[in-house]
Structure formats: structure tokens, C-alpha cells
Amino acid sequence: MTEADLYFLYRGVYVPKLIHTEASLDYFQNFTFRPQDVLIVTYPKSGTTWMQEVVPLIVSGGDPASVETIPNWDRVPWLEEVRASTLNLEGRPSPRMLTTHFHYSMMPPSFFKAKPKVIYVMRNPKDVFTSIFHYSKMASFLVTPDSQSEFLQKFLDGKVIFGSWFDHVSGWLNADDKDRIMYISYEEMIMDLKESVARISQFLEKTLDDEVISKIADRCLFKNMKQNNMSNYSAVPPEVMDPTKSQFLRKGISGDWKNQLTAAEADHFDAVYRDKIKDVQHKFVWD
Ligand SMILES: Nc1ncnc2c1ncn2[C@@H]1O[C@H](COP(=O)(O)OS(=O)(=O)O)[C@@H](OP(=O)(O)O)[C@H]1O
């Protein structure tokens, strides 16, 4: 199936029809944020699910009840997806934990008024590409790549779900009110998860003792999250996500692009990257 079958264009970016509707996007646009909300923002495959585990554990002071009983998509729901409007988010106590894959330029008016806290997670785009490539083979609501080279060009052109990685990252890095945004990378979390949890809890103004921080970091290790049926997507029917084609929690490493891209593809990627990111004043850990 093609993009025309599976996606529609919303403000210039593709979104999958199965999980986004006109009504869900209206809900997003009219959503009323609170200053106390915590919003996880990611380009897909950058560490969303990981952060949907870390943040509730920090907010609960290390109590695992919610991550053991509530699927990540209800625990820290995507505001733009169809489920959001069914979850009575308006009735949830603060701090509400929310997610979006949308670009900064797509945020609704209330976001700029209420100024909730934002945790923006970014990941080496070559690993993002690698992860999406495998995910696109397993998820029935995504276009299956014809070939790696064809899909790579679409990714670099932003003709994939949620548009251009380059626009997403540069938009959020150039956001106003940066003091309410915490920028963190997947790679930093891989390098030192405990330190990352400590930094996130500081940002959320949640004082936790060292032992609790260690426990949270341990729970959020890839091997442990893979066992958590509320976070590993095993509850999704195989006709929607086929685990024989790939896994949602697939490898959980940084640098897997080296096993995926040919030398020529990596060079092409780097050339496009250098050009598109040249005006962004940010020291990326992977550079
Ligand atoms: N705990 C932990 N540690 C390390 N890596 C982890 C963890 N949890 C999720 N992942 C990896 O994150 C990738 C999925 O990204 P997202 O959760 O952002 O996907 S999505 O946007 O919600 O579809 C996907 O990356 P790949 O393994 O490279 O495909 C997941 O395996």
C-alpha cells in the first residue's frame, strides 16, 4: 500500500490514518494545557517509549504501579492520536504526563499560553532511520519500504510519518521559552541512564534519593523494559504489529546504523545532514 492509502497530510506532514483522524487532530488543536503538565516530545523512534517509562516512575517517586498496569499509550498518551479524547485527560490530576510527535510549529495556542514543561528527546538520525525502517516492515499502518535506498531518500526528504527529522529537531531547538524545555538525547541515556534519570527528576523538581534513582534506572534498562508487557507492545494484535517481522523494542542500542547503511548511503546521509543542520546552534552528542 502507498502513502495515499495509509497516510494523510496534516499541516504538511504525513500522519497514519489508522491512529489519527480529523477529530483527533481537532482535539489536539483545542487541547487545554496546564502549566503543571509534563509533555514528552519526540520525532518517532527517538526514545518515546523509554521516556514514557522514566517519567511516570519519577513522578510517582519510584512506585511501579502505573508502569506495571497501564499501557504506555494510556499512561503518557499521544495528544494527536484517536485514543487521547477517550481518556478523560481533562479529569486527570496534575502533573499530567502527555506525549506528542508534532513539530514546534504545529503546537496549539494553549501550549504557548500555559507553558507546560517539555522533555525533548532526540537521537542520532541515522539510528532513527534504521529503527523506522524496521518498524515500517512490522506495522501494518505504515508504508512498507520497497527498498532501503528508496526509503532512505524519503526519510531525507521528510516524506515519511511526521515529516522531516531536520525540521522537527531544528524547530524544537529554536523554540522560545527554552527554560521550560529539557533537551536530552537517546545516546546520553544509553551512556548513563542513572545520571539521565537524576537530571530529569531535577528538571521535574522531584527530589528523589539515590537508591530510588538507581531503581528507576534499573527498571528502565532495555532488557527489563522488554519484559514489561505494558511497555513492549506485546498487547498490540499481530495484524497491526507483526512481531515475526521485527520487534518494537528491537535492539535498543546506539550506532546500529553501522550495520544498516552502506558506506555510500552513510556518506550521502552525512552530506544532507551537514547541509540541513548547518544553521542549528546545538552540539549534538553524535557529532
Ligand atoms: N529502555 C530502552 N533502552 C534503549 N532503547 C529503547 C528502550 N526502550 C525503547 N527503546 C528503543 O527506542 C526505539 C523506539 O523508539 P520510540 O519509542 O520513540 O518509538 S515510537 O516513536 O514511539 O514509535 C527502538 O529502537 P531500535 O531498537 O533501534 O529500533 C527501541 O528499541
Side-chain angles (χ1 to χ4, degrees), residues 44-50 101 123 131 186 220 222 250-252:
K45 301 297 153 194
S46 301
T48 325
T49 317
W50 203 356
H101 280 321
R123 184 182 190 186
S131 185
Y186 180 98
C220 295
F222 183 75
R250 193 182 57 92
K251 284 198 180 173

Side-chain angles (χ1 to χ4, degrees), residues 149-257:
S149 59
E150 165 262 1
F151 190 64
L152 176 60
Q153 201 49 53
K154 281 186 185 168
F155 180 84
L156 294 173
D157 291 340
K159 298 210 165 91
V160 288
I161 48 161
F162 298 98
S164 158
W165 179 90
F166 305 98
D167 291 349
H168 201 285
V169 167
S170 58
W172 279 100
L173 283 173
N174 289 327
D176 297 327
D177 304 316
K178 286 209 196 54
D179 52 333
R180 66 171 164 121
I181 305 181
M182 173 176 183
Y183 297 99
I184 186 163
S185 65
Y186 180 98
E187 289 73 16
E188 288 166 279
M189 292 172 70
I190 288 280
M191 278 187 286
D192 193 340
L193 187 52
K194 188 179 166 193
E195 162 66 17
S196 301
V197 171
R199 271 179 58 206
I200 298 162
S201 53
Q202 240 174 29
F203 175 71
L204 297 180
E205 299 169 80
K206 186 88 189 168
T207 309
L208 300 175
D209 66 36
D210 195 63
E211 196 190 333
V212 174
I213 291 175
S214 294
K215 276 201 179 133
I216 293 174
D218 186 64
R219 272 200 159 263
C220 295
L221 288 173
F222 183 75
K223 62 175 189 211
N224 293 335
M225 271 184 65
K226 223 174 145 64
Q227 304 307 316
N228 183 356
N229 289 341
M230 293 295 114
S231 308
N232 62 13
Y233 282 79
S234 57
V236 176
E239 58 277 15
V240 179
M241 283 188 198
D242 184 347
T244 64
K245 295 195 173 142
S246 186
Q247 301 285 314
F248 192 97
L249 271 79
R250 193 182 57 92
K251 284 198 180 173
I253 58 171
S254 58
D256 192 37
W257 64 268

Side-chain angles (χ1 to χ4, degrees), residues 107-171:
M107 295 306 290
S110 157
F111 171 81
F112 298 98
K113 214 165 141 209
K115 303 188 193 302
K117 281 190 196 296
V118 172
I119 301 176
Y120 187 74
V121 194
M122 48 201 150
R123 184 182 190 186
N124 183 333
K126 286 192 270 197
D127 282 333
V128 170
F129 166 79
T130 303
S131 185
I132 295 188
F133 180 68
H134 290 281
Y135 185 52
S136 301
K137 293 195 228 167
M138 77 176 296
S140 66
F141 51 89
L142 300 180
V143 175
T144 308
D146 285 337
S147 68
Q148 177 160 308
S149 59
E150 165 262 1
F151 190 64
L152 176 60
Q153 201 49 53
K154 281 186 185 168
F155 180 84
L156 294 173
D157 291 340
K159 298 210 165 91
V160 288
I161 48 161
F162 298 98
S164 158
W165 179 90
F166 305 98
D167 291 349
H168 201 285
V169 167
S170 58

